[in-house]
Coordinates of all heavy atoms in Angstrom, one line a residue:
M1 N 100.8 39.3 42.7 CA 100.8 38.0 43.4 C 102.1 37.8 44.1 O 103.2 38.1 43.5 CB 100.5 36.9 42.4 CG 100.6 35.6 43.0 SD 100.3 34.1 42.0 CE 99.7 34.6 40.4
D2 N 102.1 37.4 45.3 CA 103.3 37.3 46.0 C 103.9 35.9 45.7 O 103.3 35.0 45.2 CB 103.1 37.6 47.5 CG 103.1 36.6 48.5 OD1 103.7 35.6 48.3 OD2 102.5 36.8 49.5
V3 N 105.2 35.7 46.1 CA 105.9 34.5 45.8 C 105.3 33.3 46.4 O 105.3 32.2 45.8 CB 107.4 34.7 46.2 CG1 108.2 33.4 46.0 CG2 108.0 35.8 45.5
Q4 N 104.8 33.4 47.6 CA 104.2 32.2 48.3 C 103.0 31.7 47.5 O 102.8 30.5 47.4 CB 103.8 32.6 49.7 CG 103.4 31.5 50.5 CD 103.1 31.9 52.0 OE1 103.0 33.0 52.3 NE2 103.0 30.9 52.9
H5 N 102.2 32.6 47.0 CA 101.0 32.2 46.2 C 101.4 31.5 44.9 O 100.8 30.5 44.5 CB 100.1 33.4 45.9 CG 99.4 33.9 47.2 ND1 99.7 35.0 47.8 CD2 98.4 33.3 47.9 CE1 99.0 35.2 48.8 NE2 98.1 34.2 48.9
A6 N 102.5 32.0 44.3 CA 103.0 31.4 43.1 C 103.5 30.0 43.4 O 103.4 29.1 42.5 CB 104.1 32.3 42.5
A7 N 104.2 29.8 44.5 CA 104.7 28.5 44.9 C 103.5 27.5 45.1 O 103.6 26.4 44.7 CB 105.5 28.6 46.1
Y8 N 102.4 28.0 45.7 CA 101.2 27.1 45.8 C 100.7 26.7 44.5 O 100.3 25.6 44.3 CB 100.2 27.8 46.7 CG 100.5 28.0 48.1 CD1 100.0 29.1 48.8 CD2 101.4 27.2 48.8 CE1 100.3 29.3 50.2 CE2 101.7 27.4 50.1 CZ 101.2 28.4 50.8 OH 101.5 28.6 52.1
L9 N 100.5 27.7 43.6 CA 100.0 27.4 42.3 C 100.9 26.5 41.5 O 100.5 25.6 40.7 CB 99.8 28.7 41.5 CG 98.6 29.5 42.0 CD1 98.5 30.8 41.2 CD2 97.3 28.8 41.9
F10 N 102.2 26.6 41.7 CA 103.2 25.8 41.0 C 103.1 24.3 41.5 O 103.1 23.4 40.7 CB 104.6 26.3 41.2 CG 105.7 25.5 40.5 CD1 105.7 25.5 39.1 CD2 106.7 24.8 41.2 CE1 106.7 24.8 38.4 CE2 107.6 24.1 40.5 CZ 107.6 24.1 39.1
A11 N 102.9 24.2 42.8 CA 102.8 22.8 43.4 C 101.5 22.2 42.8 O 101.5 21.0 42.5 CB 102.7 22.9 44.9
L12 N 100.4 23.0 42.7 CA 99.2 22.5 42.2 C 99.3 22.1 40.7 O 98.9 21.0 40.3 CB 98.1 23.6 42.3 CG 96.7 23.2 42.0 CD1 96.1 22.3 43.1 CD2 95.8 24.5 42.0
A13 N 100.0 22.9 39.9 CA 100.3 22.5 38.5 C 101.2 21.3 38.4 O 100.9 20.4 37.5 CB 100.9 23.7 37.8
V14 N 102.2 21.2 39.2 CA 103.0 20.0 39.2 C 102.2 18.7 39.5 O 102.4 17.7 38.9 CB 104.2 20.1 40.1 CG1 105.0 18.8 40.3 CG2 105.2 21.2 39.6
G15 N 101.3 18.8 40.5 CA 100.5 17.7 40.8 C 99.6 17.2 39.7 O 99.5 16.1 39.4
F16 N 98.9 18.2 39.1 CA 98.0 17.9 37.9 C 98.8 17.4 36.7 O 98.4 16.4 36.0 CB 97.1 19.0 37.6 CG 95.9 19.2 38.4 CD1 95.6 20.3 39.1 CD2 95.0 18.1 38.5 CE1 94.5 20.5 39.9 CE2 93.9 18.2 39.3 CZ 93.6 19.4 39.9
T17 N 99.9 18.0 36.5 CA 100.8 17.5 35.3 C 101.2 16.1 35.5 O 101.2 15.3 34.6 CB 101.9 18.5 35.1 OG1 101.4 19.8 34.9 CG2 102.8 18.1 33.9
S18 N 101.8 15.8 36.7 CA 102.2 14.4 37.0 C 101.1 13.4 36.9 O 101.3 12.3 36.4 CB 103.0 14.4 38.3 OG 102.1 14.6 39.4
A19 N 99.9 13.8 37.4 CA 98.8 12.9 37.4 C 98.4 12.6 35.9 O 98.1 11.5 35.6 CB 97.6 13.5 38.1
G20 N 98.4 13.7 35.1 CA 98.1 13.4 33.7 C 99.1 12.6 33.0 O 98.7 11.7 32.2
I21 N 100.4 12.8 33.3 CA 101.4 12.0 32.6 C 101.3 10.5 33.1 O 101.3 9.6 32.2 CB 102.8 12.5 33.0 CG1 103.0 13.9 32.3 CG2 103.9 11.6 32.6 CD1 104.2 14.6 32.7
V22 N 101.1 10.3 34.3 CA 101.0 8.9 34.8 C 99.7 8.2 34.2 O 99.8 7.1 33.8 CB 101.0 8.8 36.4 CG1 100.5 7.5 36.9 CG2 102.3 9.2 37.0
G23 N 98.6 8.9 34.2 CA 97.4 8.4 33.7 C 97.5 8.1 32.2 O 97.1 7.0 31.7
S24 N 98.2 9.0 31.4 CA 98.4 8.7 30.0 C 99.3 7.5 29.8 O 99.0 6.7 28.9 CB 99.0 10.0 29.4 OG 98.1 11.0 29.4
F25 N 100.4 7.5 30.5 CA 101.3 6.3 30.3 C 100.6 5.0 30.7 O 100.8 4.0 30.0 CB 102.6 6.5 31.2 CG 103.6 7.4 30.5 CD1 104.4 8.2 31.3 CD2 103.8 7.4 29.2 CE1 105.4 9.0 30.8 CE2 104.8 8.3 28.6 CZ 105.6 9.1 29.4
W26 N 99.9 5.0 31.7 CA 99.1 3.8 32.1 C 98.1 3.4 31.0 O 98.0 2.2 30.7 CB 98.5 3.9 33.5 CG 97.9 2.6 33.9 CD1 96.6 2.3 33.8 CD2 98.5 1.5 34.5 NE1 96.4 1.0 34.3 CE2 97.6 0.5 34.7 CE3 99.9 1.3 34.8 CZ2 97.9 -0.7 35.3 CZ3 100.2 0.1 35.4 CH2 99.2 -0.9 35.6
S27 N 97.4 4.4 30.5 CA 96.4 4.1 29.5 C 97.1 3.5 28.2 O 96.6 2.6 27.6 CB 95.7 5.3 29.1 OG 94.9 5.8 30.2
I28 N 98.2 4.1 27.8 CA 98.9 3.6 26.6 C 99.5 2.2 26.9 O 99.4 1.3 26.0 CB 100.0 4.6 26.2 CG1 99.4 5.9 25.7 CG2 101.0 4.0 25.2 CD1 100.4 7.0 25.5
A29 N 100.1 2.0 28.0 CA 100.8 0.7 28.3 C 99.9 -0.4 28.6 O 100.1 -1.5 28.1 CB 101.8 0.9 29.5
M30 N 98.8 -0.2 29.3 CA 97.9 -1.3 29.7 C 96.6 -1.3 29.0 O 95.7 -2.2 29.3 CB 97.7 -1.2 31.2 CG 98.9 -1.4 32.0 SD 99.6 -3.0 31.7 CE 101.3 -2.8 32.2
D31 N 96.3 -0.3 28.2 CA 95.0 -0.2 27.4 C 93.8 -0.2 28.4 O 92.8 -0.8 28.1 CB 94.9 -1.4 26.4 CG 93.9 -1.1 25.3 OD1 93.7 0.1 25.0 OD2 93.3 -2.1 24.8
E32 N 93.9 0.5 29.5 CA 92.8 0.7 30.4 C 93.0 2.1 31.1 O 94.2 2.5 31.3 CB 92.7 -0.4 31.4 CG 93.9 -0.4 32.4 CD 93.7 -1.5 33.5 OE1 92.9 -2.4 33.3 OE2 94.4 -1.5 34.5
E33 N 91.9 2.7 31.4 CA 92.0 4.0 32.2 C 92.3 3.7 33.6 O 91.7 2.8 34.2 CB 90.8 4.8 32.0 CG 90.6 5.3 30.6 CD 89.3 6.2 30.5 OE1 89.0 6.8 31.5 OE2 88.8 6.2 29.4
P34 N 93.1 4.5 34.3 CA 93.3 4.3 35.7 C 92.2 4.9 36.5 O 92.2 6.1 37.0 CB 94.6 5.1 36.0 CG 94.7 6.1 34.9 CD 94.0 5.5 33.7
R35 N 91.1 4.2 36.7 CA 89.9 4.6 37.4 C 89.9 4.1 38.8 O 90.5 3.1 39.1 CB 88.6 4.1 36.7 CG 88.4 4.6 35.4 CD 87.8 6.0 35.5 NE 87.6 6.6 34.2 CZ 87.4 7.9 34.1 NH1 87.3 8.7 35.2 NH2 87.2 8.4 32.9
L36 N 89.3 4.9 39.7 CA 89.3 4.5 41.1 C 88.6 3.2 41.4 O 88.9 2.5 42.3 CB 88.7 5.6 42.0 CG 89.5 6.9 42.0 CD1 88.7 8.0 42.8 CD2 90.8 6.7 42.7
G37 N 87.6 2.9 40.5 CA 86.8 1.7 40.7 C 87.7 0.4 40.4 O 87.3 -0.7 40.9
A38 N 88.8 0.6 39.7 CA 89.6 -0.6 39.5 C 90.4 -1.1 40.7 O 91.0 -2.1 40.7 CB 90.7 -0.2 38.4
L39 N 90.3 -0.3 41.8 CA 90.9 -0.7 43.0 C 90.2 -1.9 43.6 O 90.7 -2.7 44.4 CB 91.0 0.4 44.1 CG 91.9 1.5 43.8 CD1 91.7 2.7 44.8 CD2 93.3 1.1 43.8
F40 N 88.9 -2.1 43.2 CA 88.1 -3.2 43.8 C 88.0 -4.3 42.8 O 87.0 -5.0 42.8 CB 86.7 -2.6 44.1 CG 86.8 -1.4 45.1 CD1 86.4 -0.2 44.6 CD2 87.2 -1.6 46.4 CE1 86.5 0.9 45.5 CE2 87.2 -0.5 47.2 CZ 86.9 0.7 46.8
D41 N 89.0 -4.6 42.0 CA 89.0 -5.7 41.1 C 89.0 -7.0 41.8 O 89.8 -7.2 42.7 CB 90.3 -5.6 40.2 CG 90.3 -6.6 39.0 OD1 89.2 -7.2 38.8 OD2 91.3 -6.7 38.4
A42 N 88.1 -7.9 41.4 CA 87.9 -9.1 42.1 C 89.0 -10.1 41.7 O 89.2 -11.1 42.5 CB 86.5 -9.7 41.7
N43 N 89.7 -9.9 40.6 CA 90.7 -10.9 40.2 C 92.1 -10.2 40.1 O 92.5 -9.7 39.1 CB 90.4 -11.4 38.8 CG 89.1 -12.2 38.8 OD1 88.8 -12.9 39.8 ND2 88.2 -12.0 37.8
P44 N 92.8 -10.1 41.2 CA 94.1 -9.4 41.2 C 95.1 -10.2 40.4 O 95.0 -11.4 40.3 CB 94.5 -9.3 42.7 CG 93.7 -10.4 43.4 CD 92.4 -10.6 42.6
T45 N 96.0 -9.5 39.8 CA 97.1 -10.1 39.1 C 98.5 -9.6 39.6 O 98.5 -8.9 40.6 CB 97.0 -9.7 37.6 OG1 97.2 -8.3 37.5 CG2 95.7 -10.1 37.0
L46 N 99.5 -10.0 39.0 CA 100.8 -9.6 39.4 C 101.0 -8.1 39.2 O 101.9 -7.5 39.9 CB 101.9 -10.4 38.7 CG 102.1 -11.9 39.0 CD1 103.1 -12.5 38.1 CD2 102.4 -12.0 40.5
L47 N 100.3 -7.5 38.3 CA 100.4 -6.1 38.1 C 99.5 -5.2 39.0 O 99.5 -4.0 38.9 CB 100.0 -5.8 36.6 CG 101.0 -6.3 35.5 CD1 100.5 -6.0 34.2 CD2 102.3 -5.7 35.7
T48 N 98.8 -5.8 39.9 CA 97.9 -5.1 40.8 C 98.6 -4.0 41.6 O 98.1 -2.9 41.7 CB 97.1 -6.1 41.7 OG1 96.4 -6.9 40.9 CG2 96.2 -5.3 42.7
P49 N 99.8 -4.3 42.2 CA 100.5 -3.2 42.9 C 100.9 -2.0 42.0 O 100.7 -0.9 42.4 CB 101.8 -3.9 43.4 CG 101.5 -5.3 43.5 CD 100.5 -5.6 42.4
L50 N 101.2 -2.3 40.7 CA 101.5 -1.2 39.8 C 100.2 -0.5 39.4 O 100.2 0.8 39.3 CB 102.2 -1.7 38.6 CG 103.6 -2.2 38.7 CD1 104.2 -2.8 37.4 CD2 104.5 -1.1 39.2
R51 N 99.1 -1.2 39.3 CA 97.8 -0.6 39.0 C 97.4 0.4 40.1 O 97.0 1.4 39.9 CB 96.8 -1.6 38.8 CG 95.4 -1.0 38.6 CD 94.3 -2.1 38.4 NE 94.5 -2.8 37.2 CZ 94.2 -4.0 37.0 NH1 93.7 -4.8 38.0 NH2 94.4 -4.6 35.8
V52 N 97.6 -0.1 41.4 CA 97.3 0.8 42.5 C 98.1 2.0 42.5 O 97.6 3.1 42.7 CB 97.4 0.0 43.8 CG1 97.3 0.9 45.0 CG2 96.4 -1.1 43.9
L53 N 99.4 1.9 42.3 CA 100.3 3.1 42.2 C 99.8 4.1 41.1 O 99.8 5.3 41.3 CB 101.7 2.7 42.0 CG 102.4 2.2 43.2 CD1 103.8 1.7 42.8 CD2 102.5 3.3 44.3
A54 N 99.5 3.5 39.9 CA 99.1 4.3 38.8 C 97.7 5.0 39.1 O 97.6 6.2 38.8 CB 98.9 3.5 37.6
I55 N 96.8 4.3 39.8 CA 95.6 4.9 40.1 C 95.7 6.0 41.2 O 95.1 7.1 41.0 CB 94.6 3.8 40.7 CG1 94.2 2.9 39.5 CG2 93.4 4.4 41.3 CD1 93.4 1.7 39.9
V56 N 96.6 5.8 42.2 CA 96.8 6.8 43.2 C 97.5 8.1 42.6 O 97.1 9.2 42.9 CB 97.6 6.2 44.3 CG1 98.1 7.3 45.3 CG2 96.8 5.2 45.1
F57 N 98.4 7.9 41.7 CA 99.1 9.0 41.2 C 98.3 9.7 40.1 O 98.6 10.9 39.8 CB 100.5 8.7 40.7 CG 101.5 8.5 41.8 CD1 102.1 7.3 42.1 CD2 101.9 9.6 42.5 CE1 103.0 7.2 43.2 CE2 102.8 9.5 43.6 CZ 103.3 8.3 43.9
A58 N 97.4 9.0 39.4 CA 96.6 9.6 38.4 C 95.3 10.1 38.9 O 94.5 10.7 38.2 CB 96.3 8.6 37.3
A59 N 95.0 9.9 40.2 CA 93.7 10.3 40.8 C 93.3 11.7 40.7 O 92.1 12.0 40.5 CB 93.6 9.8 42.2
P60 N 94.2 12.7 40.9 CA 93.8 14.1 40.8 C 93.0 14.4 39.5 O 92.0 15.1 39.5 CB 95.0 14.9 40.9 CG 95.9 14.1 41.7 CD 95.6 12.7 41.3
V61 N 93.5 13.9 38.4 CA 92.8 14.2 37.1 C 91.5 13.5 37.0 O 90.5 14.0 36.6 CB 93.7 13.8 35.9 CG1 93.0 13.9 34.6 CG2 94.9 14.7 35.9
T62 N 91.5 12.2 37.5 CA 90.2 11.4 37.5 C 89.2 12.1 38.4 O 88.0 12.2 38.0 CB 90.5 10.0 38.0 OG1 91.5 9.4 37.2 CG2 89.3 9.1 37.9
V63 N 89.6 12.5 39.5 CA 88.6 13.1 40.5 C 88.2 14.5 40.0 O 87.0 14.9 40.1 CB 89.2 13.2 41.9 CG1 88.4 14.0 42.8 CG2 89.5 11.8 42.4
L64 N 89.1 15.2 39.3 CA 88.7 16.5 38.7 C 87.7 16.4 37.6 O 86.8 17.2 37.6 CB 90.0 17.2 38.2 CG 89.8 18.7 37.7 CD1 89.4 19.6 38.9 CD2 91.0 19.1 36.9
L65 N 87.9 15.4 36.8 CA 86.9 15.2 35.7 C 85.5 14.8 36.3 O 84.5 15.3 35.9 CB 87.3 14.1 34.8 CG 88.6 14.4 33.9 CD1 89.0 13.2 33.1 CD2 88.3 15.6 33.0
T66 N 85.5 14.0 37.4 CA 84.3 13.7 38.1 C 83.7 15.0 38.7 O 82.5 15.2 38.7 CB 84.5 12.6 39.2 OG1 85.1 11.5 38.6 CG2 83.3 12.3 39.9
A67 N 84.5 15.8 39.3 CA 84.1 17.1 39.9 C 83.4 18.0 38.8 O 82.4 18.6 39.1 CB 85.2 17.8 40.5
F68 N 84.0 18.1 37.6 CA 83.4 18.9 36.6 C 82.0 18.4 36.2 O 81.1 19.1 36.0 CB 84.3 19.0 35.4 CG 85.5 19.9 35.6 CD1 86.6 19.6 34.8 CD2 85.5 20.9 36.5 CE1 87.8 20.4 35.0 CE2 86.6 21.7 36.6 CZ 87.7 21.5 35.9
H69 N 81.9 17.1 36.1 CA 80.6 16.5 35.8 C 79.6 16.7 36.9 O 78.4 17.1 36.7 CB 80.8 15.0 35.5 CG 79.5 14.2 35.3 ND1 78.6 14.6 34.3 CD2 78.9 13.2 36.0 CE1 77.6 13.8 34.4 NE2 77.7 12.9 35.4
D70 N 80.0 16.6 38.2 CA 79.2 16.8 39.3 C 78.8 18.2 39.5 O 77.7 18.5 40.0 CB 79.8 16.3 40.6 CG 79.8 14.7 40.7 OD1 79.0 14.1 39.9 OD2 80.5 14.2 41.5
L71 N 79.6 19.2 39.1 CA 79.3 20.6 39.2 C 78.1 20.9 38.3 O 77.3 21.8 38.6 CB 80.5 21.5 38.8 CG 81.5 21.6 40.0 CD1 82.8 22.4 39.4 CD2 81.0 22.4 41.1
I72 N 78.0 20.2 37.2 CA 76.9 20.5 36.3 C 75.6 19.8 36.7 O 74.6 20.3 36.8 CB 77.3 20.1 34.8 CG1 78.4 20.9 34.3 CG2 76.1 20.1 33.9 CD1 79.0 20.4 33.0
E73 N 75.8 18.5 37.1 CA 74.6 17.7 37.5 C 74.2 17.9 38.9 O 73.0 18.1 39.1 CB 75.0 16.2 37.3 CG 75.3 15.8 35.9 CD 74.1 15.8 35.0 OE1 73.0 15.5 35.5 OE2 74.3 16.1 33.8
R74 N 75.1 17.9 39.9 CA 74.8 18.1 41.3 C 75.8 19.0 41.9 O 76.8 18.6 42.5 CB 74.8 16.7 42.0 CG 73.9 15.7 41.4 CD 74.2 14.4 42.0 NE 75.5 13.9 41.5 CZ 75.8 12.7 41.1 NH1 74.9 11.8 41.1 NH2 77.0 12.4 40.7
P75 N 75.6 20.3 41.9 CA 76.5 21.3 42.4 C 76.9 21.1 43.9 O 78.0 21.4 44.3 CB 75.9 22.7 42.1 CG 74.8 22.4 41.1 CD 74.4 21.0 41.3
I76 N 76.0 20.7 44.7 CA 76.2 20.5 46.1 C 77.3 19.4 46.3 O 78.1 19.5 47.2 CB 74.9 20.1 46.8 CG1 73.9 21.2 46.7 CG2 75.2 19.8 48.3 CD1 74.3 22.5 47.3
L77 N 77.3 18.4 45.5 CA 78.3 17.3 45.6 C 79.6 17.7 44.8 O 80.7 17.3 45.2 CB 77.7 16.0 45.0 CG 78.7 14.8 45.0 CD1 79.0 14.4 46.5 CD2 78.0 13.7 44.3
G78 N 79.4 18.5 43.8 CA 80.6 18.9 42.9 C 81.6 19.7 43.6 O 82.8 19.6 43.4
V79 N 81.2 20.6 44.5 CA 82.2 21.5 45.1 C 83.1 20.8 46.1 O 84.3 21.0 46.0 CB 81.4 22.7 45.9 CG1 82.3 23.5 46.7 CG2 80.7 23.5 44.9
P80 N 82.6 19.9 47.0 CA 83.6 19.1 47.8 C 84.5 18.2 46.9 O 85.7 18.0 47.3 CB 82.7 18.3 48.7 CG 81.4 18.9 48.6 CD 81.3 19.6 47.4
V81 N 84.0 17.6 45.9 CA 84.8 16.8 45.0 C 85.9 17.6 44.3 O 87.0 17.2 44.2 CB 83.9 16.0 44.0 CG1 84.7 15.2 43.0 CG2 82.9 15.1 44.7
L82 N 85.5 18.8 43.9 CA 86.5 19.7 43.3 C 87.6 20.1 44.3 O 88.8 20.1 44.0 CB 85.8 21.0 42.8 CG 86.7 22.0 42.2 CD1 87.4 21.5 40.9 CD2 85.9 23.3 41.9
A83 N 87.2 20.4 45.6 CA 88.1 20.7 46.6 C 89.0 19.5 46.9 O 90.2 19.7 47.1 CB 87.4 21.1 47.9
A84 N 88.5 18.3 46.9 CA 89.3 17.1 47.1 C 90.3 16.9 46.0 O 91.5 16.6 46.2 CB 88.4 15.8 47.2
A85 N 89.9 17.2 44.7 CA 90.8 17.0 43.6 C 92.0 18.1 43.7 O 93.1 17.8 43.5 CB 90.1 17.2 42.3
L86 N 91.6 19.3 44.0 CA 92.6 20.3 44.2 C 93.6 20.0 45.3 O 94.8 20.2 45.2 CB 92.0 21.7 44.4 CG 91.2 22.2 43.2 CD1 90.5 23.5 43.5 CD2 92.1 22.5 42.0
G87 N 93.0 19.6 46.4 CA 93.9 19.2 47.6 C 94.8 18.1 47.3 O 96.0 18.1 47.7
W88 N 94.3 17.0 46.7 CA 95.1 15.9 46.3 C 96.2 16.3 45.4 O 97.4 15.9 45.5 CB 94.2 14.8 45.7 CG 94.8 13.4 45.6 CD1 96.1 13.1 45.5 CD2 94.1 12.2 45.6 NE1 96.2 11.7 45.4 CE2 95.0 11.2 45.5 CE3 92.7 11.9 45.7 CZ2 94.6 9.8 45.5 CZ3 92.4 10.6 45.7 CH2 93.3 9.6 45.6
S89 N 95.9 17.1 44.4 CA 96.9 17.6 43.4 C 98.0 18.4 44.1 O 99.2 18.3 43.8 CB 96.2 18.4 42.3 OG 97.2 18.9 41.5
F90 N 97.5 19.3 45.0 CA 98.5 20.1 45.7 C 99.5 19.3 46.6 O 100.7 19.5 46.5 CB 97.8 21.1 46.6 CG 98.7 21.9 47.5 CD1 99.4 22.9 46.9 CD2 98.8 21.7 48.8 CE1 100.3 23.7 47.7 CE2 99.6 22.4 49.6 CZ 100.4 23.4 49.1
L91 N 98.9 18.3 47.3 CA 99.8 17.4 48.1 C 100.7 16.6 47.3 O 101.9 16.4 47.6 CB 98.9 16.6 49.0 CG 98.2 17.3 50.1 CD1 97.3 16.4 50.9 CD2 99.1 18.0 51.1
Q92 N 100.2 16.1 46.1 CA 101.1 15.3 45.2 C 102.2 16.2 44.7 O 103.3 15.8 44.6 CB 100.2 14.7 44.1 CG 101.0 13.8 43.2 CD 100.0 13.1 42.3 OE1 99.0 12.7 42.7 NE2 100.4 12.9 41.0
G93 N 101.8 17.5 44.3 CA 102.8 18.4 43.8 C 103.9 18.7 44.8 O 105.1 18.8 44.6
V94 N 103.4 18.9 46.1 CA 104.4 19.2 47.2 C 105.3 18.0 47.4 O 106.5 18.2 47.6 CB 103.7 19.6 48.5 CG1 104.6 19.6 49.7 CG2 103.0 21.0 48.3
F95 N 104.7 16.8 47.4 CA 105.5 15.6 47.5 C 106.6 15.5 46.4 O 107.8 15.2 46.7 CB 104.6 14.4 47.5 CG 105.4 13.1 47.6 CD1 105.9 12.6 48.8 CD2 105.6 12.3 46.4 CE1 106.6 11.4 48.9 CE2 106.3 11.1 46.5 CZ 106.8 10.7 47.7
I96 N 106.2 15.7 45.2 CA 107.1 15.6 44.1 C 108.2 16.7 44.2 O 109.4 16.4 44.0 CB 106.4 15.7 42.7 CG1 105.6 14.4 42.5 CG2 107.4 15.9 41.6 CD1 104.6 14.5 41.4
L97 N 107.8 17.9 44.5 CA 108.8 19.0 44.5 C 109.8 18.8 45.7 O 111.0 19.1 45.6 CB 108.1 20.3 44.7 CG 107.4 20.8 43.4 CD1 106.6 22.0 43.7 CD2 108.3 21.0 42.3
T98 N 109.3 18.3 46.8 CA 110.2 18.2 48.0 C 111.0 16.9 48.0 O 112.2 16.9 48.3 CB 109.4 18.2 49.3 OG1 108.4 17.2 49.3 CG2 108.8 19.6 49.5
Q99 N 110.4 15.8 47.6 CA 111.1 14.5 47.7 C 111.9 14.1 46.4 O 112.9 13.5 46.5 CB 110.1 13.4 47.9 CG 109.3 13.5 49.2 CD 110.2 13.5 50.4 OE1 111.1 12.7 50.5 NE2 110.0 14.5 51.3
V100 N 111.4 14.6 45.3 CA 112.1 14.2 44.0 C 113.1 15.3 43.7 O 114.3 15.0 43.3 CB 111.1 14.0 42.9 CG1 111.8 13.8 41.6 CG2 110.2 12.9 43.2
F101 N 112.7 16.6 43.7 CA 113.6 17.6 43.3 C 114.3 18.4 44.5 O 115.1 19.2 44.3 CB 112.8 18.7 42.5 CG 112.3 18.1 41.2 CD1 111.0 17.9 41.0 CD2 113.2 17.8 40.2 CE1 110.5 17.3 39.8 CE2 112.8 17.2 39.0 CZ 111.4 17.0 38.8
G102 N 113.9 18.1 45.7 CA 114.5 18.7 46.9 C 114.3 20.1 47.1 O 115.0 20.8 47.8
I103 N 113.2 20.6 46.6 CA 112.8 22.0 46.7 C 112.1 22.2 48.1 O 111.2 21.5 48.4 CB 111.9 22.5 45.6 CG1 112.6 22.4 44.3 CG2 111.4 23.9 45.9 CD1 111.7 22.7 43.1
T104 N 112.6 23.2 48.8 CA 112.0 23.4 50.2 C 111.3 24.8 50.2 O 111.6 25.7 49.5 CB 113.0 23.3 51.3 OG1 114.1 24.2 51.1 CG2 113.5 21.9 51.4

């Protein structure tokens, strides 16, 4: 495996790891899972902006779990959802590595 492929896999791993950490912290602190459906809450509160951030940063894991379920139930829908989860995680990992840690 060449170095460029390892960097891509590292960015993917950083994205999924950060998504899991954010989702776990949100679940512990607020006693609710950061689900995408919570973006459509009819009664917004003062914590709604933080909820949106938590949902966006925890989304790769949420979407990946949905993709695994869809791969079993509906494989035609599961493959694009899996690709979306991997892409979101990769972009999140690249963002964290470049903006937070300054890796280029």
Side-chain angles (χ1 to χ4, degrees):
M1 176 177 353
D2 108 27
V3 175
Q4 189 175 14
H5 291 105
Y8 292 152
L9 290 176
F10 184 65
L12 192 67
V14 167
F16 276 123
T17 303
S18 65
I21 290 171
V22 169
S24 295
F25 279 145
W26 185 261
S27 294
I28 290 170
M30 297 298 161
D31 199 28
E32 68 179 15
E33 291 185 27
R35 293 282 176 194
L36 294 174
L39 290 174
F40 304 110
D41 188 12
N43 301 319
T45 63
L46 291 174
L47 291 177
T48 299
L50 290 177
R51 176 183 290 146
V52 170
L53 284 174
I55 290 169
V56 168
F57 282 112
V61 171
T62 305
V63 174
L64 185 70
L65 292 174
T66 303
F68 287 153
H69 175 57
D70 286 344
L71 280 172
I72 295 169
E73 298 291 324
R74 302 170 292 222
I76 300 297
L77 180 64
V79 171
V81 174
L82 178 65
L86 293 174
W88 195 330
S89 174
F90 174 75
L91 292 176
Q92 184 169 323
V94 168
F95 176 79
I96 290 170
L97 290 173
T98 58
Q99 299 300 314
V100 176
F101 295 109
I103 297 172
T104 56

